[in-house]
Amino acid sequence: MSGLDWGVIILYFLLMVYIGFSAYKKVQGSKDFFVAGGKLPWWLSGISHHVSGYSGAVFVAYAGLAYTHGFSLYVWWAIPITISVIIGAYIMAPRWAKLRTKLDIESPTEYLAMRYNIPTQQLIAWSGVLLKLFDVGAKWAAIGILLNGFTGIPIIYGILISGIVSLIYITVGGLWADIWTDFAQFVVQIIAGIVMFVVVIQTLGGTSSITGMWDQLPPANSQPFNEPYSLAYVIVYVFVVFLSYNGGTWNLAARYISSPSGKEAKRAGLLSGVLYLIWPLILFFPMWAAPIILPGLSDPNQSYSLLAQELLPVGLIGLVLASLFAATMSMTSSDANTISAVITRDILPVMNKKFKGIDQKLSLKIARITTFSFTFLTLIIAIYSDVFGGVLGLLITWFAALVGPVSIPMLLGLLPVFKHSDSKAAIASILGGFVMFFITKVLVNWPLYIEIGAPVFTAGIIFIGMGLLNRSKPVTAEVEDLLQSISKSDEELAKEMN
């Protein structure tokens, strides 16, 4: 890292802080802080949804998998997300936007009190907050590892530098700061990714290497499936990421909730899905080529950072590192904003009545306090990430396995076909999924796809099964009206509201 590289990093951080304070003027209350006043343009929402699905872990844990397992990374990661987001753009995204129109919600879990009851809402809210502590902590740890690979400075410093910068701009500017930094981070990531792509192609001898390099790699690296990432794993992962990317991961639901209408939310989802189909092919290519350029690495997780240092000139290394910071800070800051919404809107009013019915300005003050506090706790988790199985263990094993059970009642609860699945079904499905996770994680040594899929399928079977058993029981008028309303077109809903 030269002085010029450090200069690029410092300029990037200053830009993030500047965007945060610029967005401060737009934030007059908690509605602006959490859902951008419901005025988020579809193209900005789509880019933010896409960028918020990445993190520095892609350049650490996933770069390591690209090094050891090759093309299968695109098949098991990018393709399932593409399928899930595009399908969800038609089924789920519009409903999130219409929930805000119908109920004036500011958090993804706010509607659950009406759909089920307060105990169900609290179980989901608390479970999601605790899961996100680990998920966001893993992403801070990933950026610490990356900075260590580029500069040699201790991992803890990378965690604290990126965390403190994110904490400043998200606490000050809320969702508007998050969205515009996402856009800036998208631009930086695109430029840096294309630079790496072109340099690696030139190093390998030209464009013919795009297809020709696979002959120089182990045969398994060119296969679509490479154990433990088998066809069965991909099928299971489609279900997990459908739940996650369509609202189970709350910061992604917030992008749809902040859209002006269901139609705009749908367009945002389609844009994000197309980006997931195309961009990873460019982004992952240097990772797939790394075994040729850097053979025999003892730690494949360092492959991307070592590749940048090996191939890029002064200044461009700083740009690539900035893009890696961008990926992590985009996801973690949006998580912090959405978790703050859940705590402020759904948890605190239940814990203490003085938080009920507060005005927008006081709610904004509380929002900033909770955002700061949550981010601080995730940094502590990051510092001790090895205790939980490292970055990959946190991301794939813990979060992916547990997000499904929490997401089942959240997402399926939006669909009229599951209207008979009540609060008991919701709570039983979550608890059943958690029990199954404990069995697969602690008691039985099953294949990875079972470890990931069993909790979500258990939760789904319980939720749907109990709904079928309840078909003879009438659904409350309030729930019936809610589900029918968010299933209508934007025009029909507008007429109903008027």
Side-chain angles (χ1 to χ4, degrees):
M1 290 282 287
S2 68
L4 182 58
D5 292 316
W6 279 112
V8 171
I9 296 294
I10 292 170
L11 284 174
Y12 168 74
F13 283 147
L14 290 175
L15 174 62
M16 296 299 100
V17 174
Y18 171 77
I19 290 174
F21 280 98
S22 296
Y24 179 80
K25 300 174 184 177
K26 287 189 174 184
V27 180
Q28 302 300 318
S30 64
K31 188 176 294 185
D32 296 321
F33 192 86
F34 291 137
V35 294
K39 299 175 182 177
L40 192 59
W42 70 270
W43 59 271
L44 199 52
S45 176
I47 288 173
S48 179
H49 185 282
H50 176 76
V51 175
S52 295
Y54 290 85
S55 75
V58 170
F59 304 96
V60 178
Y62 291 0
L65 289 176
Y67 190 97
T68 57
H69 287 69
F71 187 74
S72 63
L73 174 64
Y74 178 78
V75 175
W76 74 256
W77 187 78
I79 290 179
I81 294 176
T82 298
I83 293 170
S84 300
V85 173
I86 289 177
I87 293 174
Y90 288 91
I91 300 174
M92 307 307 306
R95 287 182 162 84
W96 283 117
K98 292 169 188 174
L99 273 178
R100 183 187 52 75
T101 304
K102 174 74 174 175
L103 300 179
D104 200 30
I105 66 170
E106 296 178 19
S107 89
T109 58
E110 197 167 346
Y111 93 98
L112 295 171
M114 176 182 289
R115 174 60 180 85
Y116 302 110
N117 56 23
I118 289 178
T120 305
Q121 179 203 44
Q122 293 301 296
L123 174 62
I124 293 174
W126 278 102
S127 299
V129 169
L130 293 175
L131 284 178
K132 269 300 171 184
L133 280 172
F134 291 101
D135 182 47
V136 176
K139 295 174 176 100
W140 291 134
I143 203 64
I145 293 170
L146 282 169
L147 189 60
N148 174 261
F150 274 90
T151 67
I153 70 173
I155 291 173
I156 188 174
Y157 291 166
I159 292 171
L160 293 176
I161 290 169
S162 55
I164 290 171
V165 171
S166 296
L167 189 149
I168 292 171
Y169 77 72
I170 192 64
T171 302
V172 170
L175 188 68
W176 276 119
D178 187 25
I179 294 296
W180 282 111
T181 52
D182 279 356
F183 181 75
Q185 291 157 355
F186 176 72
V187 173
V188 170
Q189 189 184 118
I190 291 290
I191 294 172
I194 290 175
V195 167
M196 279 289 287
F197 178 75
V198 171
V199 169
V200 168
I201 285 178
Q202 291 176 342
T203 302
L204 295 178
T207 55
S208 60
S209 65
I210 294 176
T211 55
M213 75 167 186
W214 299 100
D215 295 334
Q216 303 175 58
L217 292 165
N221 281 37
S222 61
Q223 298 302 310
F225 308 107
N226 193 347
E227 291 293 339
Y229 306 103
S230 60
L231 176 60
Y233 180 89
V234 172
I235 293 171
V236 168
Y237 200 64
V238 167
F239 286 96
V240 173
V241 296
F242 178 85
L243 295 169
S244 176
Y245 281 73
N246 287 297
T249 301
W250 295 343
N251 64 303
L252 301 180
R255 272 69 192 148
Y256 295 144
I257 294 170
S258 304
S259 298
S261 66
K263 188 179 294 183
E264 293 282 285
K266 174 184 171 183
R267 294 171 74 184
L270 291 174
L271 173 59
S272 179
V274 170
L275 288 172
Y276 274 114
L277 180 66
I278 298 170
W279 178 239
L281 291 171
I282 297 172
L283 185 67
F284 291 159
F285 182 81
M287 302 178 191
W288 292 325
I292 301 173
I293 302 170
L294 301 169
L297 288 182
S298 59
D299 184 7
N301 287 351
Q302 296 277 14
S303 60
Y304 196 83
S305 59
L306 293 174
L307 202 62
Q309 294 172 74
E310 178 81 14
L311 301 178
L312 297 181
V314 170
L316 288 181
I317 294 177
L319 179 66
V320 168
L321 184 54
S323 76
L324 308 189
F325 273 108
T328 297
M329 292 165 69
S330 170
M331 180 177 277
T332 51
S333 59
S334 61
D335 278 331
N337 178 266
T338 307
I339 292 297
S340 174
V342 171
I343 295 171
T344 304
R345 299 283 296 185
D346 305 326
I347 293 178
L348 291 180
V350 173
M351 293 180 63
N352 194 319
K353 292 182 179 180
K354 73 178 184 180
F355 292 106
K356 287 185 178 180
I358 57 177
D359 61 32
Q360 284 283 302
K361 287 189 176 181
L362 180 56
S363 182
L364 175 59
K365 182 179 180 180
I366 296 169
R368 289 190 166 123
I369 293 172
T370 53
T371 300
F372 182 95
S373 302
F374 174 80
T375 305
F376 178 79
L377 287 174
T378 61
L379 294 176
I380 300 299
I381 293 288
I383 292 169
Y384 293 99
S385 63
D386 287 345
V387 176
F388 304 101
V391 173
L392 193 61
L394 280 169
L395 281 177
I396 291 183
T397 304
W398 287 84
F399 182 70
L402 291 174
V403 70
V406 176
S407 304
I408 286 288
M410 275 196 70
L411 270 71
L412 299 190
L414 292 170
L415 304 175
V417 68
F418 301 116
K419 65 183 180 181
H420 289 283
S421 295
D422 57 12
S423 59
K424 292 180 181 178
I427 293 174
S429 67
I430 295 170
L431 297 180
F434 285 177
V435 169
M436 182 55 69
F437 170 76
F438 177 78
I439 292 172
T440 57
K441 179 67 178 173
V442 178
L443 300 182
V444 183
N445 186 23
W446 279 336
L448 183 59
Y449 72 90
I450 296 180
E451 185 177 317
I452 298 298
V456 67
F457 284 114
T458 298
I461 290 169
I462 293 172
F463 185 81
I464 295 170
M466 290 184 69
L468 292 173
L469 294 176
N470 285 339
R471 291 189 68 85
S472 60
K473 299 179 181 178
V475 178
T476 66
E478 190 177 44
V479 171
E480 189 79 58
D481 174 62
L482 172 65
L483 296 180
Q484 291 302 322
S485 294
I486 62 174
S487 300
K488 294 176 180 178
S489 67
D490 292 316
E491 294 75 16
E492 290 174 326
L493 181 57
K495 289 180 181 178
E496 179 183 286
M497 296 300 292
N498 293 330

